[in-house]
Each structure stands twice: as C-alpha cells, then as structure tokens.
Amino acid sequence: MTDRTDRPLPDSPASDLSAPDPHDSRRQVLYWRLLARLFDPEEQATLESASLAVVEDIGLPPALLDPQASVDSIVQRHPELASEFDSLMVPESDSEAGLETSGGGRDRAAEVRRAALVSKVLLNVFTSGTGTVTAGQLARWQSDAGWLERALGCRPGELRGGRAGRGTAGHGTTGAGTAPTGTGGRGTTPDLSRLIPAIGPELGAIEAELVKRMHLREVLADPRLAARLTPSMSLIEQLLRDKDNLSGVALANAKNLIRRFVDEVAEVLRTQVEKATVGAIDRSVPPKRVFRNLDLDRTIWKNLTNWSPEEERLYVDRLYYRHTTRKTTPQRLIVVVDQSGSMVDSMVNCTILASIFAGLPKVDVHLIAYDTQALDLTPWVHDPFETLLRTKLGGGTDGTVAMALAQPKISEPRDTVVVWISDFYEWRTEPLFESMAAIHRSGTKFIPVGSVTSSGRGSVNPWFRERFKDLGTPVLSGHIHKLVHELKTFLT
C-alpha cells in the first residue's frame, strides 16, 4: 500500500508554492517591454500584445502603450490618474506606498499598476526619437518631463533648471491640481541621491538636444508656434547664442520667452533670499522700550531678589527688553561671472540673483561678465532681462581681464564681498590666483563658487580647488541655495 501522507492535497497551500504568481508575470511583461522600447524603437509584436492584455486586465487605459500619447492627454481623459503619477517613483516604506495587503503581504496587483504608469513616463521622456523637432513636440516632451519630475516628488522644471513649474497659459487645465506642464506636485523635495543622482543633468541634456534639432528661427518667426514654446534653460541658452541673428517678429518672440523665464526664476530666487538667515543683532543700539520687546523671563529672573514670601508678591524694580535692531551697515557686492559657453546656467541665475540683492537697502551691487574680454554690466544690474541681452556666450576664459575691472571697485575691503563664479579652467592660472589671494588678504570677503545651477552640478578645476582650500576660502558647491545663504548673512 502506498503511503500518501506526504503528498499535499490539491487545495492545500503547499500545492501552490512552486506556481508563479500571475501578477509577477504581468509586471515582468511590462518591464521587458520598457527595456525593449528603450533600446530598440521598433515594436516587438509579442510584447506589445501581451502588454495590452495586461493593461486592459488591470483597468488602465490602452493609451498608456501609445508612444504618441502624452501623459497630459491621458490625464485629461482620465483625471483620476493624476494623483497616481504624483510621487510615483519616490522611495517609501511598503505601508506608506500602499503596497501591503490587509494580511501583511505585498499588494502585487498595485505593483503591476505602478509598473504600467512608470513605463509610460520613462518611455515618453527617454525615447525622444530622431530628426527635426517641432515646437509642439518640444512642448509635449517638456510636459512629459514635468510629469517625470512630479513622479520623483519634485516640482516640474525643478530638476532641469531651477524654477518651480507653472501652468502654461492658453493650454487649458487637465483636471484638479494638474496642468499641461504637470504642475501641482508635492512641495517637499526628496533626497534624490537615493534615486538616480544624474537624473537632472540627463533631462537637461535631452532637452538641449531637442532644442538643437528644432528649426528655432522658423518657429520664432511664427507667433502661433512661438506661443507653444515653454521657456527652459536649454531654450534660453539657444536664444542667447542666436539673438544677434534674429530680427523683427522672431526677435520680439525671443525676448518674450527670455523675460518669461527670467520672471519665473526671479520669483523662486526672491523667495529664497527672503527666507535666508539675516544679519546678527546689533547690541550697540539700545532696545526699544515697547511691550512687544519686553523680555518677560529675564525681567522675572533679575527681580527675584525682590520676592516677598509673606505677601507672595514679586516687586519689579526694572524692566528688561530684547534687542531687535540688526546690523545694516552699507555693503558692496561685486559679482564676477564666467560667461563662457559652459556657464550659461550660472550666467542666468547670477544675473537674476544680483538684481534681487540690488533691490535690498544699502547694498551696492556690481556685475561683471567675462570670457576673453570683460564687460561691466553694473548699469543694468537692476534689470536682469536687459543684462542677459547684453551678454555674449562662448569663447575662452581669461579671468585676469575681469580682475582688472573688479579690483578698482574695492574701496572699503571690510565692507565688500566679491563672488567669483566660474569653473576656473583659466588660461592664466597663477596670475589670477595671486590676485584673488591679494583680495582675500586685504580683508575683503572673497567667495569662489563653482557653476551656480539649481541641480548643484558643476565641475571645478582641481588646481584652483586645492589652492582655495589652502587659502581658507573653499569653493562653495554649485547649489544656488548655499550662495544665497552666504550672501544674505554677510550683507544684512
């Protein structure tokens, strides 16, 4: 007689241990399709049909598999998906992400749904095609890139060039909390180092390539097509490089795009300046003796000797007040910016930042741009738009010509700060560094900064980096937040 006690019953859990989970198979189909489309633009019929069956089975629209359908168009037809795209790729615990079932196991059905949405966003952004790009195609890519940034927990445009994205006028809305540029993402920015550290620069590089493939002059000459362009750092760089070759309607449209971008970035930077730490309390100025400045804790502590145990009463001989006046001595800010071709991001950000600080009381701001020649842009420092129109990107780098303009502006070293923004790949390294060291030794606050971008990415000449460190003025990382903090602390 055969012993059948070790053989599991057909309906027992042990009989399903080796059976593949159907949700795992579905997720694998979607990711295999993603990889196939990323590396080969041609469709794989088997994967496409299998993916279509999966998408329809889980209740998602088949348009997710259409490479011509933007995320905006999908969200317009299915507004309920907007919230699912938000922070879609932000690392969270399983319980926070809703990927645990009531029994404590993984919600594999939710994982399949996420795989379909992630595949859509990644394919729309990273398969940009070849050939000439139209204004509409660029606008669609920028919108899809905004949805990818939302999926990473950021605001649209934040990873590509440092401005909080906003809805584009004239394009309508896409339901509650959404817009053609993918606005409405969560306000807090996650630690992207846990995701893909180079995601911001990569998005910027793709966008720059698309702009180069577009017949920009023809687009700018047509007001209808120009109105479809969304200002971005890559587009502004091309406009600044080509502005001398534009005229008439094309030039007017180019100036309009530059001003729109300047206004957007200025709004973000102005908020950062307002939130930055202000100057130290000036204790040489007597405090105002008004009730709102009364230091109640100190008043009680200083009068404790007047406590009457019999009467259980504290007699106050003197009131103490808080000092509220902050040091606001006149300061001079000299900003020197390398305007060579690799520094366009810095040129735009620092021009706008200089104009904001120029609006602060008792701050005298000077702006110098240079490549192999130096240009004093101080007369236009209050208007970043006019300043940018006077720049000329490209060429080599010779900081000694800028130093010749900057040094005569230092009349009171102790009340002056010089911010030098460059990658420091100079033609004449030794003379330039000696001049910078002399400024530092004179008592002037000298701040060397790598290229100032919103992503914080920047390359600095190691030779200069080591010598600035030995001098006691290490190069600031290229993130604009840190520069704002340094300048606000010194100037107010």
Side-chain angles (χ1 to χ4, degrees):
M1 184 174 179
T2 305
D3 185 3
R4 307 170 70 95
T5 58
D6 294 335
R7 190 173 300 172
L9 296 174
D11 294 333
S12 68
S15 64
D16 295 331
L17 288 177
S18 59
D21 189 299
H23 294 304
D24 285 345
S25 300
R26 291 170 176 170
R27 190 175 71 252
Q28 289 174 12
V29 165
L30 293 173
Y31 282 137
W32 275 116
R33 175 184 176 272
L34 170 62
L35 292 173
R37 294 301 297 266
L38 283 174
F39 294 103
D40 186 356
E42 293 188 8
E43 292 186 357
Q44 303 292 328
T46 304
L47 286 175
E48 293 296 327
S49 59
S51 298
L52 179 60
V54 170
V55 167
E56 290 178 337
D57 191 49
I58 61 178
L60 287 174
L64 283 175
L65 302 180
D66 182 0
Q68 301 303 317
S70 67
V71 178
D72 267 342
S73 64
I74 293 173
V75 172
Q76 285 174 349
R77 297 172 185 174
H78 306 275
E80 70 280 1
L81 293 180
S83 59
E84 293 192 54
F85 280 111
D86 278 340
S87 301
L88 179 67
M89 300 165 68
V90 174
E92 295 176 336
S93 65
D94 288 347
S95 58
E96 289 176 336
L99 298 181
E100 282 191 3
T101 61
S102 57
R106 291 167 57 188
D107 187 348
R108 298 184 182 277
E111 291 178 353
V112 177
R113 192 176 183 89
R114 170 178 286 186
L117 298 176
V118 167
S119 296
K120 178 59 180 175
V121 177
L122 292 179
L123 284 175
N124 276 28
V125 173
F126 289 103
T127 55
S128 54
T130 58
T132 303
V133 175
T134 66
Q137 289 172 326
L138 177 63
R140 196 194 81 167
W141 184 91
Q142 290 172 327
S143 171
D144 288 333
W147 282 104
L148 174 59
E149 288 164 318
R150 285 184 63 169
L152 292 171
C154 302
R155 295 183 179 88
E158 189 172 352
L159 297 181
R160 285 170 285 156
R163 69 199 193 284
R166 298 188 299 183
T168 305
H171 287 230
T173 58
T174 58
T178 66
T181 50
T183 54
R186 294 184 184 179
T188 56
T189 302
D191 179 10
L192 294 180
S193 63
R194 294 188 299 157
L195 297 171
I196 308 173
I199 187 68
E202 287 300 325
L203 291 177
I206 295 173
E207 186 174 33
E209 181 195 0
L210 292 173
V211 171
K212 289 179 181 178
R213 286 161 46 193
M214 184 173 60
H215 293 308
L216 191 55
R217 295 181 192 177
E218 288 79 358
V219 171
L220 291 172
D222 187 332
R224 182 181 58 84
L225 294 177
R228 301 184 66 181
L229 294 174
T230 300
S232 66
M233 188 64 73
S234 300
L235 182 59
I236 296 308
E237 178 179 359
Q238 286 297 109
L239 293 176
L240 291 176
R241 290 183 186 278
D242 205 33
K243 64 181 185 297
D244 293 335
N245 299 316
L246 301 175
S247 61
V249 175
L251 181 60
N253 287 329
K255 288 183 176 181
N256 182 52
L257 285 167
I258 294 173
R259 184 171 288 282
R260 281 170 55 193
F261 186 78
V262 166
D263 291 344
E264 289 179 9
V265 177
E267 182 179 341
V268 176
L269 293 182
R270 191 174 291 111
T271 301
Q272 294 175 6
V273 170
E274 291 171 354
K275 291 182 178 180
T277 304
V278 296
I281 296 293
D282 189 352
R283 300 193 178 277
S284 65
V285 179
K288 268 191 175 183
R289 297 177 177 273
V290 294
F291 179 75
R292 69 173 179 271
N293 292 342
L294 179 64
D295 190 338
L296 190 58
D297 291 341
R298 190 174 178 221
T299 297
I300 294 174
W301 176 257
K302 290 289 188 179
N303 288 279
L304 281 179
T305 54
N306 299 327
W307 169 255
S308 172
E310 295 80 10
E311 301 178 50
E312 295 186 350
R313 180 174 297 181
L314 178 66
Y315 291 91
V316 178
D317 291 337
R318 180 182 174 186
L319 296 175
Y320 292 84
Y321 297 87
R322 298 185 185 90
H323 291 266
T324 56
T325 304
R326 297 185 181 273
K327 296 180 180 179
T328 56
T329 55
Q331 308 287 354
R332 172 164 290 186
L333 169 63
I334 303 172
V335 181
V336 184
V337 188
D338 175 358
Q339 67 169 358
S340 60
S342 61
M343 299 294 291
V344 61
D345 220 349
S346 301
M347 190 71 231
V348 173
N349 277 304
C350 291
T351 297
I352 297 170
L353 191 60
S355 72
I356 294 171
F357 277 106
L360 297 179
K362 299 182 180 180
V363 178
D364 182 21
V365 179
H366 295 254
L367 179 63
I368 299 171
Y370 76 96
D371 42 34
T372 55
Q373 295 180 327
L375 180 63
D376 191 344
L377 298 169
T378 303
W380 304 278
V381 72
H382 288 85
D383 190 341
F385 172 71
E386 290 296 331
T387 301
L388 287 173
L389 291 182
R390 285 168 169 78
T391 60
K392 185 177 181 181
L393 301 178
T397 310
D398 185 1
T400 58
V401 296
M403 183 62 73
L405 285 179
Q407 282 180 320
K409 295 178 179 289
I410 304 174
S411 55
E412 296 291 337
R414 297 289 176 184
D415 290 335
T416 303
V417 56
V418 176
V419 179
W420 198 290
I421 300 150
S422 174
D423 53 13
F424 297 99
Y425 285 94
E426 296 281 342
W427 286 359
R428 293 187 277 182
T429 55
E430 291 281 359
L432 179 59
F433 179 77
E434 287 303 321
S435 299
M436 292 174 171
I439 288 177
H440 174 69
R441 289 192 293 266
S442 72
T444 300
K445 185 174 179 62
F446 184 80
I447 306 176
V449 185
S451 58
V452 177
T453 67
S454 303
S455 62
R457 183 179 69 132
S459 172
V460 176
N461 187 338
W463 188 91
F464 270 93
R465 185 186 291 278
E466 287 301 317
R467 278 155 182 78
F468 282 135
K469 186 177 180 180
D470 295 339
L471 189 64
T473 57
V475 177
L476 284 183
S477 65
H479 205 294
I480 198 165
H481 297 288
K482 189 172 290 187
L483 178 59
V484 168
H485 176 82
E486 285 283 325
L487 293 179
K488 187 72 181 291
T489 301
F490 183 80
L491 292 172
T492 59

